Amino acid sequence: MFRRIRNRFLRYFAIFIYFVIIFFCCIELNFLWLSGYSPDMQDIKNPVMSVGSEVYTADGKLIGQYYKENRSPVELKNISPNLINALISTEDVRFYKHNGVDFYSFFTSMLSTAKGERRGGSTITQQLAKNLFETRKRKSQGFIKHIPVIRTIVYKCKEWLTAFKIEHVYNKEQILTLYLNTVPFGNNSFGIKTASLKYFNKTPDKVTPAEAALLIGMLKATSSYNPIKNPDRALERRNTVLSQMQKYGYLTKVGYDTSFKSPIKLNLSYVEEDSHGDSYLRRAVEKWLDKWCKENGYNLYEDGLKIYTTIDSHLQQYAEEAVAEKMKMLQKRFNNLWGNKNPWRDSKGVEIKDFILKNEQRLPIFSLLEKKYKGDTVQIQQYFKQKKRMTVFTWNGEKDTTFSTIDSIKYYAHILNTGMMTLEPSTGKIKVWIGGIDHRFFNYDHVNQARRQAGSTFKPFAYLTALDNGFTPCDKFTDKPVTIKYKDNGKDEVWQPNNADFNFSYREMSLRWAMGKSVNSITAQLTEKVGWDKIVEYAHKCGIESPLKSVPSVSLGSNDVSVFEMVRAYSTFLNKGQKLDPILVTRIEDQDGSVLKEFTLKQEQVISPETAWLMLYMFRGGMEEPGGTSQALWEYPGLWKKDNQIGGKTGTSSDYVDGWYMGITKDLVTGIWVGADDRSVHFTTSETGEGSHTALPIFGRFMEKVYADPKSGYTYGSFPKPWVKITKEYNCPSPRIVTDTATVDSTSNPIDTTHVLPTPAAPTTTPENPEGTPPANK
């Protein structure tokens, strides 16, 4: 074919052109999978940019983002001409004169490189091809990636082909818009809007020539010319860009001089680490949406969704403030209690000798060290004893220190943590979610990940079972020793529970009084009457999903449950006996604001409205009955205005390991757990470690703040009146008692000395009965 061309030079040139065409066709078709994937025209017409999703509170406050590339697209009309001018004058001065590939610039850059002056020849369109369509990423590579020089040639040719396609589909203005929305600016900022907000707290239409030059100058090397890390080099690069802008007529001499002399003025206030970084709430939302995203083909990190949660920013703030205030005090109390002694102890108070070793073995690096040192424990321990610089959590802010791994284990073992959740049962909306004291240092979420012994907060399920199966709040039992024989996995067992104070009063008490005072012996008798299997059934019916071992001690909270489950289950009582599935997200929108999904409340009637109302009346006993375990709330005067009513239940597991409080108002249910992450670390006395002294104060302070804010939407008031006719007797006022010592709950041990006074003939307002005796059988 080529022999017909008699001129030798023309023949060689034709052969060259022929093979160039074949070469480009092979690249485009990915012949034998050598060159890898190239974007086709459909890809060019419908480019996919990875855009982070945003999470908002119910009142529109941004509380988190999900992104692999922190990007927020913007239109060209909202981009300052200063940015366009800086970009063209620096990156591609012949932008408006070529069709995607500037061969003149390419060949001159090769000559410059040959002379020892490195100068890029890529056009803006080629850079867009590389950034947006990832022409050099692994999925775009073929076998040729293993051949160094050929690999570079193929990559460059692929960029040329893609650039020609881009210029065929888009005009110059659209190409600039795509480019500025995709280019990286360092610090995980992708796109000009994110970058201008991050560095200057300005939208892209308001940046000055100097600021535009700084941003565009970073494109050459985002790390080297980062104004935060390398301000001097960034300034030098900025001034180079300014000189280019003046050279090509985009900046006057006066404008250049003014901009050149101005210092770099960053404004980093826009991006708050807590708003955009990781958090308990952000993680909870991600987990809550995981199933929906998988079923509907969405990716939180790439699809630019707007997620609106049920969280109330004001209540969340008040809860965080209450947690910080009370946990700081608790930590000080804990440190004073143990002093220089190690707090990791067994049930007999003996220090656990291998505590540090077991914690070392739980570390991911331990198995690597075993392999590296071939099981040599001496060398492994030397590694763990090496001192290194680190930042640790304190209640006075982060602290830089020098710790070994062993020092770190010991230090963090002393730290108390918490989990708190507030739910509005009427709507099923979660209003507060606090997974711990600081997500940066403690990733484990104590609302829905952690499961701990519920202690006496589980007792209400025994009383619920009784009320729903023939008993009334006025039925009486005697506080006396109890022995229950049962079988556990075929083995004969005997259970003899003690009261919290290790004493029995032999006093006859109503069920309401017994639950309000948290009397173990009566709860055990009730458990035997109704059956522990039945109690487990009712707990599951109300929303406890954790496995519960069906043994007599189940009613005293021997099983592990989560704060989330307990709040959900308690909400059944305020929700007229309907179990609900708590809602954390109300609505999801796409980038254009179109609603993709709205989540609605799902609920199921699991107990009768009468039983639910009677349980609320029982919960008030914690405040109104003699010796009620919630009465520490009297220390919070901000709670007791306008005849306000609060119900609740304290709980403490054995050895004061876990402290709980479940609080109920007319609108909200709040659950709080307090303790150390390692169960062998705990308080030692009822005065320091029971739920009424650890978790309850957080609830009290939180609700004070809520009630003090008229804008919170939550006001003082009494519990709801009966939703249906109450057929069971519940008006049985307990004897008024003068208590000589502090009230205790299920695991403390001071001696209680009381004197019974005659029951008043008429309703009386006292600390034990602040509302007076209610009328019977409403």
Side-chain angles (χ1 to χ4, degrees), residues 120-273:
S122 293
T123 65
I124 289 175
T125 314
Q126 286 176 251
Q127 293 179 45
L128 175 62
K130 183 169 61 176
N131 293 333
L132 183 56
F133 299 103
E134 300 183 334
T135 55
R136 299 195 181 191
K137 292 296 176 68
R138 181 170 297 177
K139 73 172 187 177
S140 302
Q141 297 176 355
F143 179 78
I144 273 176
K145 68 182 178 182
H146 300 293
I147 308 175
V149 178
I150 301 299
R151 174 180 63 198
T152 304
I153 295 173
V154 169
Y155 289 162
K156 181 61 68 174
C157 292
K158 194 184 295 185
E159 284 173 14
W160 286 354
L161 289 170
T162 306
F164 282 128
K165 294 175 188 176
I166 291 172
E167 292 271 350
H168 178 74
V169 173
Y170 300 103
N171 60 38
K172 293 292 186 179
E173 287 70 25
Q174 291 171 323
I175 291 172
L176 287 172
T177 304
L178 279 171
Y179 178 86
L180 287 171
N181 278 319
T182 57
V183 70
F185 286 90
N187 291 99
N188 200 25
S189 298
F190 289 77
I192 192 61
K193 182 179 178 181
T194 303
S196 58
L197 286 170
K198 181 183 285 286
Y199 293 111
F200 301 113
N201 195 17
K202 288 182 178 181
T203 52
D205 59 327
K206 292 183 171 62
V207 298
T208 65
E211 292 166 344
L214 179 71
L215 290 171
I216 299 302
M218 291 176 63
L219 299 179
K220 184 176 182 180
T222 55
S223 179
S224 299
Y225 300 118
N226 187 304
I228 300 174
K229 299 177 181 178
N230 299 302
D232 293 336
R233 298 187 68 181
L235 179 63
E236 181 183 349
R237 176 62 182 165
R238 183 205 70 175
N239 292 340
T240 299
V241 175
L242 287 172
S243 65
Q244 289 291 102
M245 293 173 70
Q246 184 196 19
K247 176 180 177 181
Y248 293 106
Y250 293 113
L251 200 59
T252 65
K253 181 67 168 66
V254 175
Y256 168 76
D257 291 339
T258 303
S259 299
F260 186 89
K261 294 175 183 177
S262 66
I264 293 177
K265 295 180 181 179
L266 301 179
N267 183 345
L268 306 177
S269 61
Y270 173 75
V271 178
E272 299 176 0
E273 184 178 351

Side-chain angles (χ1 to χ4, degrees), residues 371-383:
K371 292 179 181 178
K372 180 179 180 179
Y373 297 122
K374 299 179 180 179
D376 188 333
T377 57
V378 174
Q379 292 191 67
I380 294 173
Q381 286 307 306
Q382 285 178 348
Y383 175 87

Side-chain angles (χ1 to χ4, degrees), residues 487-541:
K487 285 186 177 293
D488 184 16
N489 293 325
K491 184 180 179 182
D492 290 330
E493 299 285 355
V494 176
W495 185 48
Q496 294 178 308
N498 279 312
N499 280 335
D501 56 8
F502 296 95
N503 286 292
F504 301 98
S505 66
Y506 294 90
R507 184 179 297 123
E508 195 175 58
M509 296 182 179
S510 69
L511 291 185
R512 187 178 192 250
W513 187 3
M515 180 173 136
K517 197 175 187 301
S518 201
V519 182
N520 289 348
S521 67
I522 293 180
T523 305
Q525 293 173 59
L526 197 64
T527 300
E528 189 173 27
K529 289 281 186 183
V530 301
W532 39 92
D533 290 342
K534 201 77 171 175
I535 293 171
V536 169
E537 177 188 332
Y538 270 82
H540 284 317
K541 190 183 293 187

Side-chain angles (χ1 to χ4, degrees), residues 44 85 186 245 309 353 385 398 476 493 501 532 629 650 662 727 761:
I44 302 296
N85 297 337
M245 293 173 70
T309 70
K353 298 300 182 182
K385 290 176 182 179
E398 296 179 6
K476 291 182 169 58
E493 299 285 355
D501 56 8
W532 39 92
T629 58
T650 57
M662 302 296 302
T727 62

